[in-house]
Amino acid sequence: DLGREAFTNRRISRATIERSASILRRYKRVLREYGIVAPNIRVVATSAVREAVNRLAFIDRVFIATDLVVEVIDEAEVNRITYMGINPNLEQDPELQQARCVVVEVGGGSTELLVMRDGNMILSDTFRLGSLRLVEMLQSATSTTSRRRSLMEHQIGRILDRVSESLMHEANTRMIAIGGDIRFAARQILGHWDTETLAEIPTAKLSELTNDVLRLDEDAIVRKYATSYIEAETLGPALLTYQRLAQHLQLETILVSNTNLRDGLLHDMALG
């Protein structure tokens, strides 16, 4: 709800603010049962709250209801925290450290891209295009499945143009994808995946899965893949974005990490 409202209306409704405060109140109760109290609690918000014109009202209401301070982190901080989360994966693999690693996360409101080599972040960029934004764009498109796909690919192409401006073709390039949608794809393609390691999936197999998902409506996705309706709504646009990026980089395989923003935050907190 946060993302859908913020990206469409640039405002979070009162009802959604109250639901968010209620959820965080329950979280705090559980944390207290485990003996976790401030300052060992960090609450962050990303693009959905950042882009809402009434974000201060959201932050104030949460604080009044829970005593928790919501920290709205900007794009640069999201990239830094993502780096903190993914770097341990690279440190375990000397070949990956030597390669140019393009780390990609397709979120609801934006796509984050980091370029890393030898443990250093050499480039970062954020594109205002995510799975929820693509879904919202298609809401008004009453057309065929192929036409809807064409509209999404046109929007994704704008990202690819910017990637081309920043990244010259380089043979020793690997793409590491993070995010719930690509983790779903890895499980579907591989069957079993030890999430302590990076999964490697063929780009061709990702294309097949993406084609299958985009041919189905939300009800059919839920039935076939046992997902929630929220996941089913954004699955196709997200997978198409990952697929097109991999093809643009001329990669035969994609590495998938189980790392997420939470892991980066915990690592950052552990380091103080």
Side-chain angles (χ1 to χ4, degrees):
D1 286 348
L2 281 175
R4 185 172 289 103
E5 292 178 355
F7 303 143
T8 305
N9 307 318
R10 298 204 64 206
R11 178 174 293 276
I12 303 170
S13 70
R14 183 179 297 275
T16 297
I17 292 174
E18 291 302 324
R19 280 199 300 274
S20 301
S22 177
I23 291 167
L24 287 171
R25 201 160 37 226
R26 294 199 294 272
Y27 266 114
K28 187 180 178 183
R29 190 180 307 128
V30 172
L31 291 172
R32 191 165 55 240
E33 291 172 0
Y34 283 92
I36 301 172
V37 295
N40 297 314
I41 301 173
R42 188 177 180 190
V43 184
V44 303
T46 54
S47 57
V49 175
R50 188 170 63 235
E51 295 187 23
V53 294
N54 62 334
R55 59 186 172 276
L56 293 181
F58 175 88
I59 294 168
D60 288 346
R61 179 64 189 123
V62 169
F63 179 73
I64 290 168
T66 66
D67 281 335
L68 295 173
V69 177
V70 177
E71 177 189 354
V72 182
I73 56 178
D74 61 20
E75 295 164 351
E77 180 69 355
V78 170
N79 289 335
R80 188 187 71 82
I81 293 169
T82 301
Y83 165 82
M84 297 292 287
I86 200 70
N87 197 46
N89 286 135
L90 306 188
E91 289 177 339
Q92 297 171 10
D93 190 326
E95 289 187 13
L96 275 183
Q97 278 208 306
Q98 295 297 317
R100 181 180 67 174
C101 291
V102 181
V103 183
V104 180
E105 179 173 19
V106 180
S110 61
T111 295
E112 311 289 340
L113 186 144
L114 309 180
V115 182
M116 301 171 64
R117 183 187 275 120
D118 295 326
N120 298 310
M121 183 166 62
I122 59 177
L123 175 70
S124 68
D125 208 343
T126 300
F127 307 98
R128 286 174 53 84
L129 182 73
S131 54
L132 265 178
R133 288 194 201 273
L134 285 170
V135 168
E136 292 299 326
M137 178 198 72
L138 294 174
Q139 294 285 324
S140 58
T142 54
S143 55
T144 64
T145 300
S146 61
R147 175 59 179 159
R148 288 165 63 86
R149 176 171 182 149
S150 177
L151 287 171
M152 285 192 288
E153 289 187 334
H154 175 73
Q155 294 298 318
I156 295 167
R158 293 162 59 189
I159 292 181
L160 303 181
D161 289 341
R162 282 182 56 184
V163 169
S164 295
E165 293 172 3
S166 306
L167 296 177
M168 299 295 291
H169 176 69
E170 189 173 313
N172 193 20
T173 295
R174 304 301 303 271
M175 173 174 157
I176 302 176
I178 59 179
D181 297 298
I182 198 65
R183 290 196 297 271
F184 164 86
R187 289 191 295 269
Q188 289 295 317
I189 292 169
L190 300 177
H192 173 72
W193 167 28
D194 176 7
T195 54
E196 295 299 314
T197 63
L198 294 172
E200 187 166 18
I201 59 175
T203 304
K205 291 290 185 182
L206 176 61
S207 296
E208 291 175 12
L209 178 61
T210 303
N211 292 341
D212 288 342
V213 169
L214 289 175
R215 279 193 288 264
L216 302 174
D217 61 21
E218 290 173 24
D219 289 329
I221 292 171
V222 170
R223 288 195 302 271
K224 182 171 182 178
Y225 297 108
T227 67
S228 69
Y229 276 94
I230 294 174
E231 293 167 326
E233 184 179 36
T234 60
L235 185 59
L239 294 186
L240 183 61
T241 305
Y242 286 114
Q243 174 209 320
R244 296 288 291 118
L245 275 166
Q247 291 173 335
H248 183 74
L249 294 170
Q250 302 176 35
L251 301 176
E252 293 185 0
T253 62
I254 303 167
L255 296 172
V256 180
S257 173
N258 197 40
T259 295
N260 54 31
L261 190 67
R262 177 189 61 224
D263 297 310
L265 286 165
L266 290 171
H267 191 68
D268 198 34
M269 290 172 72
L271 292 175

